[in-house]
Amino acid sequence: MENKAYRGHVLTLPYPSLGHINPLLQFSKRLVSKGLKATLATTLFIHNTMQPPSSSSLQFDTISDGYDEGGFAQAESIHAYLNRMETIGSKTLADLIIKNKNTANPIDCIIYDPFLPWALEVAKKFGIFGAAFFTQTCAVNFIYHHVHHGLLKLPITSTPISIPGLPVLELEDMPSFISVPGSYPAYFEMVLNQFSNSDKADAVLVNTFYELEPEAVDSMSKVCRLLAIGPTIPSFYLDKRLENDNDYGLNLFASDSSICNNWLNTKLEGSVIYLSFGSMASLSNKQMEELAFALKGSKFHFLWVVKASEEAKIPEKFVEEAGNKGLVVQWCSQLEVLSNKAIGCFLTHCGWNSTLEALSLGVPMVGLPQWTDQTMNAKYVQDVWKVGVRAKVCENGIVEREEIDFCIKEVMEGERRKDFQKNAKKWRDLAIKAISEAGSSNKNIDEFVSKFINS
């Protein structure tokens, strides 16, 4: 590998959680296809947990977050983790740059997650091209930009809220850090700090594609050097231009795809509800109960992903009583599931990766957002992209079984079902087009590579 001639060597540095790692991993693969050498750097704990596969193209290396044995779970608090990661991460990132300095392919560019703004400071210290990579939507990022720069005053005391390039918003449509003042202050500080030095970045990349949110992209482009480069999902499900790129290749949880696929393949087209709430969400016992009873009363088949840490919240005997009507698994290959013809609806927390996968694969959605950007994504699913509905939350913060049942019926067999399916197909076609050889996102990736190479 060291003797091969590359156009440049890019180091990509994600925030150490699955939802941030996978988009940068996929973008790294795209850069390799453009003739660059790419190295994805994760924390030592994440690296040891995921055990990334050896590859003839994409390389892997490590930095330290100061918690090599247990990662985030080892930290005393969110604030402690972020502070220590900045201190230790900055040093070990510098060590990684120095380690590569006298090789045939020294690091020429660092693409970093803006949750780690200190990475840009390290890049500038070594005179290296630095690019920010935002994993969330342009709309969400633009809201945080407004708050950071004092353009949107908090707390919000009157609605509706009007921001250039965004639809008119109610308070419950805003990211949860804003709609629920004082929630997770360390995380809120982190999302705002994404813009603490982003004006010094040589490029700003966003995991979206222009056709999805053109007004938001245009508005945010007026305040930073923005390139929309998504969707960042494996090429097999989009343009099929990257060889053997049929999955992300990294997972925090083990899955047995054959169990899900074999079960789904016995079901009729569009007859199954797929439920998953991502790698981080933790639902209350009451919410799990309401979901279970809604599924039990539904006439549709269901595939429900329930992490091992959440299994105790499932009502007693629910799995046994469901029989062949439902399948409950601890984890699965979501892309394989969503692309199966049996899936008629995705009941989701509306995390951006999950939402982007559903849009790219043409699957209508029922949104049960939990926190952070998910509420905003659910707003777009229902009112902008019109590919599904957002479930209404009761005063106690729970989505009750009757509402879940209503939303499932609305998407699976309601009067708007054909509209949801038609719109979902439209976004799937646009996602494929965006990343194709002449598409908007592919042109932006080429523009970024050209800018970096010629810098």
Side-chain angles (χ1 to χ4, degrees), residues 26-223:
Q26 285 306 128
F27 186 61
S28 298
K29 294 176 185 178
R30 291 282 172 184
L31 295 179
V32 170
S33 74
K34 303 289 185 180
L36 302 179
K37 177 177 180 178
T39 301
L40 181 79
T42 59
T43 63
L44 191 60
F45 172 74
I46 291 289
H47 183 90
N48 292 337
T49 301
M50 291 184 164
Q51 297 182 337
S54 58
S55 169
S56 59
S57 54
L58 182 61
Q59 307 294 294
F60 296 91
D61 216 318
T62 61
I63 65 166
S64 175
D65 57 5
Y67 298 96
D68 296 341
E69 302 301 319
F72 179 77
Q74 189 182 344
E76 313 85 69
S77 66
I78 299 168
H79 189 72
Y81 178 78
L82 295 174
N83 280 348
R84 185 163 176 79
M85 186 177 190
E86 178 172 356
T87 302
I88 306 299
S90 295
K91 180 182 182 305
T92 52
L93 176 58
D95 292 341
L96 185 55
I97 294 169
I98 293 168
K99 182 181 79 170
N100 282 269
K101 189 172 184 180
N102 295 319
T103 67
N105 297 287
I107 294 168
D108 306 297
C109 170
I110 293 178
I111 303 176
Y112 69 97
D113 191 315
F115 280 15
L116 313 173
W118 47 264
L120 180 61
E121 304 302 327
V122 175
K124 292 305 178 184
K125 176 183 175 182
F126 286 90
I128 293 173
F129 190 96
F133 184 97
F134 287 87
T135 56
Q136 297 178 337
T137 66
C138 219
V140 168
N141 293 323
F142 201 39
I143 288 176
Y144 291 146
H145 176 275
H146 269 61
V147 175
H148 176 79
H149 289 285
L151 302 173
L152 179 62
K153 304 294 183 182
L154 301 182
I156 293 172
T157 55
S158 64
T159 57
I161 304 147
S162 181
I163 296 174
L166 274 58
V168 174
L169 303 169
E170 297 297 334
L171 188 59
E172 62 266 24
D173 300 326
M174 301 292 279
S176 67
F177 303 134
I178 295 172
S179 61
V180 186
S183 61
Y184 301 97
Y187 280 146
F188 189 35
E189 181 182 356
M190 179 175 70
V191 298
L192 297 186
N193 279 344
Q194 292 180 104
F195 299 97
S196 60
N197 61 359
S198 60
D199 58 316
K200 299 176 184 175
D202 296 295
V204 174
L205 312 172
V206 185
N207 182 25
T208 188
F209 56 97
Y210 181 79
E211 293 78 3
L212 260 188
E213 39 178 351
E215 296 88 357
V217 172
D218 287 342
S219 292
M220 193 168 173
S221 294
K222 295 175 182 178
V223 298

Side-chain angles (χ1 to χ4, degrees), residues 19 62 68 114 120 122 132 163 166 179 191 201 241 243 252 265 267 275 295 297 301 316 346 383 387 403 430 453 455:
T62 61
D68 296 341
L120 180 61
V122 175
I163 296 174
L166 274 58
S179 61
V191 298
R241 286 192 300 146
E243 188 176 354
L252 283 172
N265 289 338
K267 304 298 181 279
L275 302 85
L295 294 173
H301 295 286
E316 189 177 356
F346 182 17
D383 296 333
V387 291
E403 173 67 9
L430 286 171
I453 294 297
S455 66

